[in-house]
Amino acid sequence: MAMVPSGSGGGPPVIAEVEMNGGADSGAATVRATVVQASTVFYDTPATLDKAERLIEEAAGYGSQLVVFPEAFVGGYPRGSTFGFGANISIGNPKDKGKEEFRKYHAAAIEVPGPEVTCLAAMAGKYKVFLVMGVIEREGYTLYCSVLFFDPLGRYLGKHRKLMPTALERIIWGFGDGSTIPVYDTPLGKIGALICWENKMPLLRTALYGKGIEIYCAPTADSRQVWQASMTHIALEGGCFVLSANQFCRRKDYPPPPEYVFSGLGEEPSPDTVVCPGGSVIISPSGEVLAGPNYEGEALITADLDLGEIVRAKFDFDVVGHYARPEVLSLVVNDQPHLPVSFTSAAEKTTAAKSDSTAKPY
């Protein structure tokens, strides 16, 4: 699959996210959506992108307008790896093997924006779909678990960085901040995403509800049955559709030992051992399971979303509307980026540029 250059020449544009109470009336629309349940080609990002295109093409062939991929599909979710850290973490003497594992994992990650993002945007445009893609994002030498959003015109809309990595994820991934919690107003409805266990953070969910989310994407690595209860609760709480995509992986989808060793399972699993059984699912605002959960293998889980269901659900319970008590309980979200290093000269140039732009007529 060839990389398709961006038409703008200056990197993909970022589309402004939705204003609260904005957007078109979605009362009678129907959206066909697909969640992809498939495995990364681990340590092989070009092959993973090829696989992503095949899956997007297949979903588009079913008439899907929205395609949602699992957490860390591009870059990979490092199941079974401790990156040299055991249960007893020794920061003073991390294992050399773990450092080499991280080097390879870092190499498989992608820059945002970058050529892989341009490639994904081209796929969305080629197959005329809204695309929500889980990636491992590389910024310098720090990695982030992120979700990227694309529209059917082949434009990169923006990203969400995982706010709170879980457990050993905190060794390999950085932390997002409040500047990347977007909800995008699209012809399909207002679309946003949280990743895996950050979906269990009530205040973070409330931030999305406050932006009017209607199609709530939840890429995950959690295949436990209890995850289904969380997804149903979010659909009911938010009065929104919930689309949860997880990978289905066997041991053979990862490099063989000794290049890649699974820890914590007692013994090395056989190549055909299922190490993540999926559980991808689509749930309506009334809590009805529309498609899935699937635990059988790689699959495209597809459902038609009647957006009128959102209005009917909000009649009973609107968590940031008629069922809210802001005089008693309220939420303030710091949505400013938090940088470890900033330079006053850059700030002064920005202020001067803004002043020039307001002083000069068109």
Side-chain angles (χ1 to χ4, degrees):
M1 179 181 60
M3 294 286 187
V4 180
S6 170
S8 65
V14 177
I15 309 303
E17 62 176 294
V18 66
E19 296 291 337
M20 181 56 182
N21 296 324
D25 178 14
S26 59
T30 299
V31 172
R32 179 159 292 180
T34 291
V35 294
V36 174
Q37 180 164 288
S39 174
T40 303
V41 183
F42 209 79
Y43 287 157
D44 193 339
T45 297
T48 298
L49 290 172
D50 285 343
K51 184 173 184 177
E53 180 165 18
R54 293 194 300 271
L55 293 164
I56 293 167
E57 180 181 19
E58 186 176 352
Y62 296 144
S64 293
Q65 300 157 278
L66 170 65
V67 183
V68 181
F69 276 76
E71 177 179 13
F73 184 79
V74 176
Y77 190 90
R79 285 181 179 81
S81 177
T82 63
F83 290 86
F85 293 99
N88 298 315
I89 295 176
S90 174
I91 298 300
N93 185 28
K95 306 291 194 307
D96 288 341
K97 184 176 183 299
K99 291 181 178 182
E100 177 59 15
E101 283 184 38
F102 184 77
R103 186 200 63 77
K104 290 187 287 187
Y105 191 54
H106 181 272
I110 66 173
E111 294 182 351
V112 180
E116 294 85 2
V117 175
T118 301
C119 184
L120 289 166
M123 292 179 200
K126 180 179 179 180
Y127 299 106
K128 308 300 181 188
V129 296
F130 282 91
L131 176 61
V132 178
M133 176 65 71
V135 306
I136 300 303
E137 176 191 357
R138 180 178 66 234
E139 184 173 286
Y141 300 101
T142 296
L143 303 181
Y144 297 91
C145 184
S146 299
V147 169
L148 309 183
F149 301 85
F150 304 87
D151 74 8
L153 298 179
R155 297 182 296 182
Y156 165 62
L157 303 181
K159 68 186 176 188
H160 164 62
R161 279 181 175 172
K162 195 172 192 177
L163 197 67
M164 176 53 67
T166 299
L168 284 173
E169 294 174 356
R170 298 174 197 172
I171 292 174
I172 54 169
W173 295 341
F175 291 58
D177 61 31
S179 68
T180 65
I181 313 175
V183 171
Y184 295 102
D185 193 5
T186 79
L188 306 186
K190 302 181 182 75
I191 300 173
L194 297 181
I195 307 169
C196 206
W197 275 23
E198 65 177 0
N199 284 285
K200 299 165 79 170
M201 299 171 70
L203 299 183
L204 187 52
R205 295 198 306 269
T206 302
L208 293 189
Y209 303 151
K211 292 184 174 184
I213 192 165
E214 296 169 329
I215 301 177
Y216 184 121
C217 303
T220 189
D222 192 340
S223 59
R224 300 172 304 155
Q225 186 62 41
V226 71
W227 180 254
Q228 303 299 319
S230 291
M231 296 298 95
T232 300
H233 171 76
I234 291 170
L236 291 168
E237 178 182 67
C240 52
F241 290 93
V242 172
L243 284 62
S244 182
N246 194 4
Q247 297 192 34
F248 181 94
C249 304
R250 299 183 186 274
R251 173 62 184 91
K252 64 186 178 183
D253 293 316
Y254 289 80
E259 181 183 3
Y260 193 100
V261 176
F262 268 70
S263 303
L265 298 179
E267 59 183 31
E268 176 67 22
S270 67
D272 287 324
T273 299
V274 175
V275 294
C276 181
S280 302
V281 69
I282 300 175
I283 301 174
S284 81
S286 66
E288 178 186 0
V289 175
L290 301 178
N294 182 302
Y295 296 100
E296 302 303 317
E298 293 198 344
L300 300 180
I301 294 95
T302 299
D304 290 332
L305 316 182
D306 172 9
L307 298 188
E309 279 294 307
I310 296 170
V311 180
R312 291 189 281 272
K314 300 284 192 181
F315 174 73
D316 291 332
F317 185 82
D318 185 354
V319 67
V320 291
H322 62 76
Y323 224 89
R325 288 292 305 278
E327 77 281 15
V328 180
L329 302 167
S330 62
L331 173 65
V332 176
V333 179
N334 183 345
D335 60 0
Q336 297 301 306
H338 290 269
L339 304 176
V341 180
S342 59
F343 297 91
T344 56
S345 59
E348 289 167 359
K349 289 178 182 178
T350 301
T351 302
K354 288 181 178 179
S355 176
D356 288 345
S357 67
T358 56
K360 296 178 181 177
Y362 288 105

